Amino acid sequence: MSSDVTVRFVTRQDYEQWLPLWDGYNAFYKRSGPTALAGEITAMTWARFFDAYEPVHALVAESGGELLGLTHYLFHRSTTAIEPTCYLQDLFTSEAARGKGVGRALINGVYEQATRAGSSRVYWQTHETNHTAQLLYDKVAEKSGFIVYRKIF
């Protein structure tokens, strides 16, 4: 399937197909019920993709007019480099597209955009229980060994 997949920037016309993928991603990470993302967060996320002043970007994987996956990434400054650093924040493929090269194609799309932006580093995180995704990630990147800490207010 991966040879039939096109990775491209999201367009405003993609919203109706992007939204179920976004909802699927959030459901996968159990962001439903009391922990669900508020509708205004989804609306703002979508708007940011089309705001030239925002560092947040979106790519989609498409085949035959159907969106199969999405990735969202952003650029930020770092105290250890002059060039921007790329954080791949979200990656999700439809269940039917899994294991067919769509996730790899989306990651490679982010790598390409990072290179174009002059970034020499792309990083992301995944949940320790997401073993299926880690099988792919271990092939396309290396584990940094860092542990993530956070505090939510």
Side-chain angles (χ1 to χ4, degrees):
M1 173 183 278
S2 63
S3 62
D4 298 339
V5 173
T6 301
V7 174
R8 61 171 176 78
F9 289 105
V10 73
T11 67
R12 291 182 191 277
Q13 293 75 28
D14 292 325
Y15 184 78
E16 295 301 320
Q17 289 192 65
W18 171 88
L19 184 59
L21 291 168
W22 175 241
D23 288 343
Y25 175 76
N26 288 307
F28 179 83
Y29 281 110
K30 299 182 180 20
R31 296 180 190 138
S32 59
T35 61
L37 289 181
E40 60 265 19
I41 294 174
T42 292
M44 180 58 74
T45 297
W46 180 255
R48 285 177 172 157
F49 301 147
F50 306 102
D51 184 340
Y53 292 103
E54 288 283 349
V56 181
H57 308 280
L59 298 174
V60 291
E62 176 184 44
S63 181
E66 179 184 357
L67 296 191
L68 305 174
L70 58 77
T71 188
H72 307 144
Y73 61 98
L74 57 95
F75 293 102
H76 65 84
R77 300 191 193 293
S78 171
T79 59
T80 61
I82 294 172
E83 69 272 359
T85 298
C86 182
Y87 176 56
L88 191 162
Q89 187 167 16
D90 309 315
L91 177 68
F92 185 78
T93 64
S94 66
E95 192 169 333
R98 293 188 190 142
K100 298 180 179 176
V102 175
R104 181 186 297 259
L106 286 162
I107 291 169
N108 286 334
V110 173
Y111 287 169
E112 184 178 318
Q113 295 309 313
T115 300
R116 286 184 180 169
S119 179
S120 62
R121 180 175 174 229
V122 175
Y123 73 102
W124 62 93
Q125 57 187 354
T126 193
H127 196 272
E128 63 186 13
T129 61
N130 194 352
H131 302 292
T132 302
Q134 290 177 58
L135 293 173
L136 169 61
Y137 301 162
D138 288 342
K139 294 174 186 170
V140 299
E142 60 185 51
K143 290 181 184 172
S144 68
F146 282 88
I147 298 170
V148 175
Y149 290 85
R150 71 178 181 184
K151 180 169 177 69
I152 300 174
F153 297 97

